[in-house]
Amino acid sequence: MALVEPVPGEPAATATLGDERALVVADYHAGIEDGLRYEQGINLDSRADERRERMASLVRRTDPDRVVVLGDFMHSIARPGGAERGEIEVLLESIDQPVTLVKGNHDGDIESWVDCAVTPGDGVRLGDVGFVHGHTWPSEDVLSADVVCVGHEHPCVRLEDSVGGSRIERVWLRGRVNPEPFVERYDGEFSIDAQLVVFPAFNDLTGGTWVNVAGQGFLAPFLPDGLSDGEAYLLDGTRLGAYDEV
C-alpha cells in the first residue's frame, strides 16, 4: 500500500504515518473572498460554510487519526481579518482529531493564536512521510522521508478539445525526487530516495500554475528541477502522463 493515496475525486489524500493515518489537504486559504475583494475588487459571497462542510465530509469519509494542513491555512499574508480568523477557529472546533499545520507563506504569525500544532516553514517528517508547504526549501529531515508532500504550487493543466474549447483542471503531480538541486542547496552529500507528491489546492478559488503551458514558471524554489519524470493526475485518478506534455 502506498504511503500517500489521493482521495478519489477530491483535492485531498490519506497518509500512513507509522501508527497513525492522516487526512492531508493543502492550501485551504480561509477568508479568500475578503482577500479577492481587497486585492482585486472581486466581490464574492463567503464560501466558508461550504469549505467547512467539505472538510467535515472528508473527515467522515476517511476517518483519520490526524488532519494535516499542508500550508496556507489562511489567505491574508498579514494579520487575519475577523472573518478569516473566525473561519479557521470554527473549522478547528468542528474537527475532533488533532490538527497539524505545516506553516506556509500566507500563514503569518498564525502560531500565536491558532489552536493546533504548527510546524516550522521548512516542514516536518511524520513517520516515513515528509511535509513542507513549498515556499521555502525543505529540511534535510523532510528529504530523508520515503515520500515528500508539497503544497504551494496549486498545479493545474489546461485541456483543449477537438473544436478549440479549453478548460482548467486541478491536478496532482507525482514523481521521483531529483537529488541534484537539494544536494547543491545544502552543499553536501546525503542520500535522497523519495517520491515527491505535489498537492492540488483544496480551495478552488486560488488559481494556480498551469504546468502544461509554456512560460508558466513554478513557484517553489526547487521545482521543476527537483521533480524527476513528473506525471499529472486528475482528481478522479485519470493519469495524464508527463505533466509538461499533456
Side-chain angles (χ1 to χ4, degrees):
M1 180 179 296
L3 290 172
V4 177
E5 283 287 351
V7 178
E10 302 288 349
T14 56
T16 301
L17 313 176
D19 295 334
E20 285 191 331
R21 185 166 167 275
L23 170 66
V24 188
V25 300
D27 297 286
Y28 193 89
H29 284 269
I32 191 173
E33 295 84 4
D34 283 353
L36 291 174
R37 185 178 304 113
Y38 176 77
E39 298 160 7
Q40 301 180 34
I42 299 173
N43 289 300
L44 295 174
D45 292 336
S46 173
R47 299 182 186 176
D49 291 345
E50 176 186 325
R51 284 189 288 270
R52 185 170 65 252
E53 179 50 40
R54 285 172 57 208
M55 276 294 295
S57 176
L58 282 167
V59 170
R60 291 192 299 267
R61 179 176 174 182
T62 60
D63 191 25
D65 302 300
R66 174 176 302 277
V67 174
V68 176
V69 179
L70 197 51
D72 286 0
F73 205 170
M74 66 183 199
H75 181 71
S76 68
I77 295 177
R79 294 188 63 85
E84 182 175 28
R85 178 167 175 168
E87 178 179 350
I88 291 173
E89 290 175 341
V90 171
L91 173 66
L92 290 176
E93 288 172 1
S94 72
I95 298 174
D96 293 331
Q97 293 83 349
V99 176
T100 298
L101 168 62
V102 182
K103 191 171 182 181
N105 55 303
H106 278 254
D107 291 319
D109 65 348
I110 194 171
E111 66 272 17
S112 69
W113 57 267
V114 77
D115 187 19
C116 70
V118 181
T119 79
D122 60 359
V124 65
R125 176 174 172 172
L126 301 174
D128 293 324
V129 183
F131 299 95
V132 66
H133 178 60
H135 64 299
T136 189
W137 290 82
S139 69
E140 293 185 38
D141 190 42
V142 168
L143 291 169
S144 72
D146 293 335
V147 181
V148 177
C149 297
V150 176
H152 187 55
E153 204 65 52
H154 311 177
C156 301
V157 292
R158 186 173 68 185
L159 302 177
E160 297 183 357
D161 59 31
S162 59
V163 294
S166 66
R167 72 183 193 274
I168 305 301
E169 295 281 355
R170 286 175 288 176
V171 293
W172 300 86
L173 301 182
R174 298 185 78 133
R176 302 301 301 179
V177 172
N178 173 20
E180 292 181 8
F182 300 102
V183 171
E184 181 179 350
R185 168 72 180 182
Y186 293 109
D187 193 26
E189 293 293 335
F190 59 97
S191 177
I192 303 175
D193 183 18
Q195 184 182 63
L196 184 66
V197 180
V198 184
F199 276 58
F202 180 84
N203 193 317
D204 59 4
L205 296 176
T206 59
T209 301
W210 298 1
V211 298
N212 65 332
V213 175
Q216 287 276 304
F218 279 75
L219 301 175
F222 49 86
L223 291 178
D225 294 344
L227 179 61
S228 295
D229 303 321
E231 294 192 321
Y233 297 80
L234 296 177
L235 299 191
D236 66 6
T238 301
R239 177 176 172 270
L240 300 177
Y243 71 83
D244 55 353
E245 297 178 4
V246 175

